[in-house]
Amino acid sequence: MTAYYKWLKADGTTAVQGATWPVAVGEWTPAEMPVLCESGWHAMEERNVIDHLPPTIGSQLWRVSVKGEIVKGADKIAASQMRLDYMLGVTTEQNLRLFACDVAEDVLHLFEGERPNDSRPRDAIEVARRYANGNATQDERDAARAAARAAARAAARDAAGAAAWDAAGGAAWDAARDAAWDAARDAAWARYSNWLVTRIESGY
């Protein structure tokens, strides 16, 4: 049985339209004609959770059930009715920073394959993890980021260097997307979505 997920903003409104969720947790929504991006009740599979991540801290990730007519799109579904089953957790600065470190580390081998003796990106990821957990200062993080950016500039025309720039510089979303668009694109993107869900569900 397919598991479906839905993002709501911190105030409980829908992530795109900003509409208040109309029923209590565990209750079914009113029936609507499902048309992707137009009407019906929208959700996604786990592999697409990252595609719809809201930009605001405190966003809620819910497991949902659907029934009635279901229309499937490339990265979402629209259903006639939906029910909020339970909230897995919310986005925080900590769990998003740690997720970014996870993704950065996943593409780090691209840089280190070309520059095995340059530890600056790896060091930056380690400092970023410590910062997310409250064990590094802002100055330490800034210094590590600057060093990682210098390392990336040294390999600016190299694809691995570009990935390391994104990963260590704090824009790991771009590195994740770049890594996902290779021969294993779908599997890689699904893996990152799973990591994000796990981070949110664990609380850190």
Side-chain angles (χ1 to χ4, degrees):
M1 182 176 178
T2 303
Y4 291 110
Y5 299 79
K6 185 169 186 67
W7 286 108
L8 294 179
K9 291 188 286 190
D11 60 3
T13 58
T14 57
V16 177
Q17 296 89 353
T20 300
W21 193 255
V23 294
V25 175
E27 295 183 1
W28 290 100
T29 59
E32 290 189 4
M33 176 67 70
V35 179
L36 287 169
C37 302
E38 293 184 18
S39 62
W41 304 95
H42 289 69
M44 64 266 172
E45 295 181 31
E46 184 186 79
R47 62 189 175 89
N48 299 120
V49 165
I50 191 174
D51 293 301
H52 301 282
L53 174 65
T56 53
I57 297 297
S59 295
Q60 306 168 2
L61 182 63
W62 289 81
R63 275 290 301 271
V64 300
S65 296
V66 297
K67 68 178 182 179
E69 183 181 355
I70 299 173
V71 178
K72 294 188 176 183
D75 63 348
K76 66 177 76 69
I77 61 110
S80 298
Q81 290 182 274
M82 185 174 294
R83 179 183 70 197
L84 298 180
D85 293 329
Y86 59 91
M87 186 172 66
L88 279 78
V90 301
T91 59
T92 64
E93 286 195 15
Q94 182 189 37
N95 61 30
L96 291 180
R97 287 182 187 280
L98 290 172
F99 168 69
C101 290
D102 294 339
V103 173
E105 201 163 52
D106 191 56
V107 298
L108 184 60
H109 68 279
L110 299 174
F111 180 89
E112 292 184 336
E114 296 295 323
R115 296 173 176 269
N117 297 319
D118 192 338
S119 67
R120 289 175 291 181
R122 182 172 293 277
D123 294 342
I125 293 169
E126 189 274 331
V127 171
R129 285 194 191 280
R130 290 198 291 109
Y131 182 82
N133 290 316
N135 297 318
T137 66
Q138 180 76 43
D139 287 346
E140 286 179 290
R141 190 192 74 158
D142 291 346
R145 175 184 290 178
R149 285 180 170 171
R153 278 195 295 269
R157 297 197 177 192
D158 181 274
W165 171 288
D166 286 341
W173 311 106
D174 291 339
R177 189 169 295 276
D178 289 343
W181 288 107
D182 61 12
R185 174 181 58 86
D186 290 340
W189 205 238
R191 184 170 72 253
Y192 295 144
S193 270
N194 174 260
W195 292 355
L196 178 59
V197 170
T198 300
R199 281 289 181 192
I200 290 172
E201 192 169 16
S202 71
Y204 61 89

